[in-house]
Amino acid sequence: MATAPSVQRPRFNPSNSSCVNDVRPLHHDVPSLHNSDFSPLHFRFQSLVSCPADVPLELFETAVSQLIHHPEYNSTLILRSETISDSDTTIPTSAPCLGGYCPVRNVHRKLLPRRPGRDLGLEQHCTLYAFETGEFAGLPSLLVLTPLVPEGESLPYYHPTVSHLAFRFIPSNITTTSDSASAQPALRIEVIPLPGTPTDPNSRLYRTALALLDTLHRYLWGALTHYQKRVQHDVLIPREVYQDVYLKMRERHKGIVNTWRETTDPLKHVFEDIGIATFLMLFWKDTFAASADVADMKELGDSRWTSWPRPSGGFLDLGCGNGLLTHILSAEGYMGCGIDLRARTSWAHYPDSSQVALKVHALDPTQLLSPDNSNDEEKSFWKPGVFLIGNHADELTPWLPVLATLTGASGYLSIPCCAWMFDERFTRSSAASALDFSDNKLLDATTGVVLSEAEDEAAFISSLGMGAEGTHKSQYSAYRIWLARLSRWLGWKIECDTLRIPSTRNWAIVGRERLSGDQSIFVDRARRIVEDVARRGAFKTRTPEGKGHDGAS
């Protein structure tokens, strides 16, 4: 039985497998993998790098499953893998026959490159082996990756120059010396390199093997300690669907990087907004279709998504900044506008169709209920069924669910960054006294019983998809929990996702469904927020800067 793990992951302590004196015994005396006596082929794997295995063998299959299904975690050049087949009965002839081992499972996968215009995809067999005899017979302890290269072609750059690559778990009682007590379980990477491939410690192949071994060591420790992902991705939109559309969107809009007019980093902002636009297009397709199937990808021509379902009132991007997200959505045929306190340099360089969608406007939520609010342009923003967007909207972030509730919006997307309440910076103490959420009891969906406060707290935070970040330890975590409670208090069903964008502030909360019950209660709560903030008089709308265009105020 495995002992309870320490809190901290053991140090990754690799050694060159060809050196026997550089670290404590790691079964360097155990021969490298070689062909079975029954195999007509003659080969021997070459050991590259080893490290101690601090976990039981029983966790090996769990850990290597991560390697098999998520190769993109080890290479930025790989988009993902797609499983072609997974069988424990059909083993391909290209899988090597290894002495002392029997194959027990084979996953046939295809590696998809992140940049298909530069790299080709590659099919690969991932074959799991177990010991034929002994104490660990039947337990998977070896994974061999075999690339399937079509005749006349070569391996893509992202794949090591090998014909086979093996991840090997060597238990402590497998030794060829009498000093078995001093040896410890080990992990080892072994390869059959292509002719002429260097394998010294300075070579690319060795560095790749070292990185893969580190990943396996980390996955094994995670399996032992029931590792919880830091965040949860792809909750609302399937990863494969998003990635396929994103690649097409990136090709259509990547040229903006070369014409960037702002002083900020174009590589971050351009691809971040392409990612958000892709998410919104797929999210709207799923939300507003009569019988939506977001995974139905039959309409993936360069502009076929112009017929995809979308919010009937268009979109309103609050605090649109450089206007890029508004521009991308407009360029793809989506109706809407973006507003900000001042026009940015980029605005004047977008096409006319995007320029007319960008407005200089200072939104004052406290005037929404005022009978003196006669701003016709502002009224034009609140079309029936409008969808609100708040991408790092700062002071406007907590107002999104309030505005969506009062204006009859079809929904909203909020990607919070700086922590603001309605008229002051967010702090734990101010949040505790700002609103009383205690009158918003939830029923357990299966039993119909009112949850206790502790049960409600744990269940609610878990539903926010923040993974290991779902605690009150950080100010940002506490702020997101407060935003989610506010949205639910105002009658929105809470859905969250962590977007695949190049930003550390990529957690998103969306509202698209109203909770059941008397809707006037939720509207009244939103009105009370506006009235209370207006009475305090602390919310100050900043004055628009510069001149608007096309009638912008």
Side-chain angles (χ1 to χ4, degrees):
M1 179 180 296
T3 58
S6 61
V7 174
Q8 187 174 5
R9 172 193 168 199
R11 180 183 177 187
F12 176 59
N13 190 14
S15 64
N16 189 329
S17 292
S18 62
C19 302
V20 295
N21 298 317
D22 53 354
V23 293
R24 48 195 172 162
L26 283 177
H27 293 311
H28 296 297
D29 54 330
V30 175
S32 297
L33 297 168
H34 58 88
N35 61 294
S36 165
D37 294 339
F38 302 102
S39 172
L41 303 177
H42 296 282
F43 59 83
R44 180 177 292 275
F45 280 73
Q46 177 180 342
S47 301
L48 286 185
V49 61
S50 304
C51 75
D54 302 287
V55 301
L57 173 59
E58 287 81 357
L59 298 176
F60 180 79
E61 185 173 10
T62 299
V64 296
S65 289
Q66 280 282 87
L67 289 169
I68 293 172
H69 295 295
H70 294 285
E72 69 275 12
Y73 294 166
N74 297 300
S75 173
T76 59
L77 300 179
I78 296 176
L79 180 68
R80 66 174 186 269
S81 72
E82 292 185 345
T83 300
I84 298 174
S85 64
D86 186 347
S87 175
D88 55 6
T89 57
T90 304
I91 306 299
T93 56
S94 57
C97 296
L98 301 172
Y101 289 92
C102 61
V104 293
R105 179 187 173 198
N106 187 80
V107 177
H108 183 187
R109 70 179 182 181
K110 183 174 183 178
L111 303 176
L112 301 181
R114 187 168 294 278
R115 297 190 175 181
R118 184 180 66 181
D119 299 315
L120 295 175
L122 177 70
E123 292 187 19
Q124 196 180 56
H125 284 306
C126 309
T127 311
L128 275 166
Y129 296 78
F131 289 112
E132 289 182 331
T133 59
E135 177 184 353
F136 300 104
L139 280 178
S141 58
L142 171 67
L143 171 68
V144 176
L145 306 182
T146 305
L148 306 178
V149 184
E151 187 175 354
E153 296 185 10
S154 58
L155 285 167
Y157 178 79
Y158 56 79
H159 194 284
T161 51
V162 298
S163 58
H164 301 285
L165 188 149
F167 299 84
R168 189 178 181 189
F169 189 110
I170 306 174
S172 59
N173 67 342
I174 306 299
T175 179
T176 59
T177 71
S178 58
D179 191 18
S180 60
S182 66
Q184 65 180 113
L187 302 173
R188 182 190 283 178
I189 300 288
E190 302 183 17
V191 299
I192 300 181
L194 297 181
T197 301
T199 59
D200 62 273
N202 294 319
S203 66
R204 178 171 175 253
L205 177 56
Y206 184 89
R207 294 195 305 270
T208 300
L210 187 64
L212 290 172
L213 186 66
D214 185 18
T215 299
L216 178 59
H217 185 266
R218 186 172 69 252
Y219 286 173
L220 282 164
W221 183 250
L224 180 65
T225 56
H226 304 289
Y227 168 72
Q228 185 179 17
K229 290 183 65 176
R230 190 177 64 87
V231 295
Q232 297 178 20
H233 289 279
D234 314 310
V235 176
L236 301 177
I237 304 297
R239 180 187 63 159
E240 294 79 6
V241 175
Y242 171 84
Q243 288 178 333
D244 289 343
V245 177
Y246 174 79
L247 287 178
K248 292 182 175 293
M249 288 284 287
R250 187 182 68 184
E251 288 301 307
R252 289 168 63 82
H253 299 285
K254 66 181 181 181
I256 299 174
V257 171
N258 300 322
T259 59
W260 190 241
R261 303 288 179 170
E262 308 292 337
T263 58
T264 50
D265 180 10
L267 292 178
K268 176 187 185 299
H269 289 277
V270 172
F271 295 115
E272 177 177 328
D273 283 358
I274 292 174
I276 296 172
T278 301
F279 176 87
L280 281 168
M281 290 161 55
L282 287 164
F283 180 75
W284 289 336
K285 179 177 185 284
D286 181 50
T287 300
F288 298 107
S291 57
D293 181 4
V294 76
D296 181 3
M297 301 309 297
K298 293 184 291 186
E299 300 177 350
L300 262 187
D302 282 348
S303 59
R304 297 286 179 83
W305 45 67
T306 56
S307 62
W308 283 2
R310 61 205 56 219
S312 60
F315 66 87
L316 177 60
D317 187 0
L318 303 177
C320 64
N322 58 48
L324 181 57
L325 179 57
T326 295
H327 161 63
I328 293 173
L329 290 172
S330 297
E332 296 302 337
Y334 289 80
M335 178 184 69
C337 63
I339 61 174
D340 207 289
L341 288 166
R342 64 181 177 89
R344 302 302 200 273
T345 304
S346 298
W347 289 18
H349 297 276
Y350 293 136
D352 291 345
S353 58
S354 295
Q355 290 189 42
V356 298
L358 295 167
K359 309 290 185 181
V360 175
H361 182 80
L363 178 65
D364 185 352
T366 65
Q367 295 300 307
L368 192 64
L369 303 179
S370 173
D372 299 328
N373 184 15
S374 58
N375 189 318
D376 291 336
E377 181 185 49
E378 181 169 318
K379 290 180 180 178
S380 70
F381 299 151
W382 308 109
K383 296 181 177 68
V386 68
F387 188 95
L388 306 184
I389 302 171
N391 176 24
H392 299 182
D394 295 344
E395 294 99 326
L396 293 177
T397 297
W399 287 101
L400 261 79
V402 178
L403 295 172
T405 301
L406 290 175
T407 62
S410 58
Y412 66 92
L413 165 73
S414 178
I415 308 173
C417 183
C418 300
W420 281 91
M421 297 177 64
F422 301 109
D423 52 10
E424 62 180 324
R425 288 279 188 174
F426 173 88
T427 64
R428 297 170 193 267
S429 58
S430 61
S433 59
L435 289 172
D436 181 10
F437 297 134
S438 62
D439 59 344
N440 197 41
K441 299 295 185 182
L442 283 187
L443 297 180
D444 183 279
T446 56
T447 65
V449 177
V450 176
L451 296 172
S452 70
E453 184 175 348
E455 291 171 329
D456 179 25
E457 177 77 2
F460 185 71
I461 293 176
S462 176
S463 72
L464 303 183
M466 296 192 294
E469 292 186 348
T471 69
H472 293 280
K473 292 181 180 178
S474 75
Q475 184 89 337
Y476 184 56
S477 292
Y479 181 55
R480 289 181 288 170
I481 294 170
W482 181 82
L483 287 175
R485 287 202 176 279
L486 168 66
S487 297
R488 185 180 68 174
W489 191 69
L490 293 172
W492 291 98
K493 176 184 176 181
I494 302 305
E495 295 180 273
C496 303
D497 209 340
T498 303
L499 307 187
R500 292 183 175 274
I501 57 176
S503 173
T504 56
R505 294 293 192 252
N506 57 349
W507 180 86
I509 180 172
V510 298
R512 58 175 162 178
E513 292 184 43
R514 301 293 293 170
L515 297 176
S516 59
D518 186 349
Q519 294 300 305
S520 65
I521 295 176
F522 303 128
V523 173
D524 182 62
R525 289 173 178 174
R527 294 177 66 91
R528 279 160 39 198
I529 290 174
V530 175
E531 292 167 353
D532 289 346
V533 174
R535 184 171 57 252
R536 289 195 297 268
F539 184 89
K540 301 298 182 184
T541 302
R542 288 180 281 178
T543 303
E545 304 173 20
K547 293 183 178 180
H549 54 84
D550 297 319
S553 60

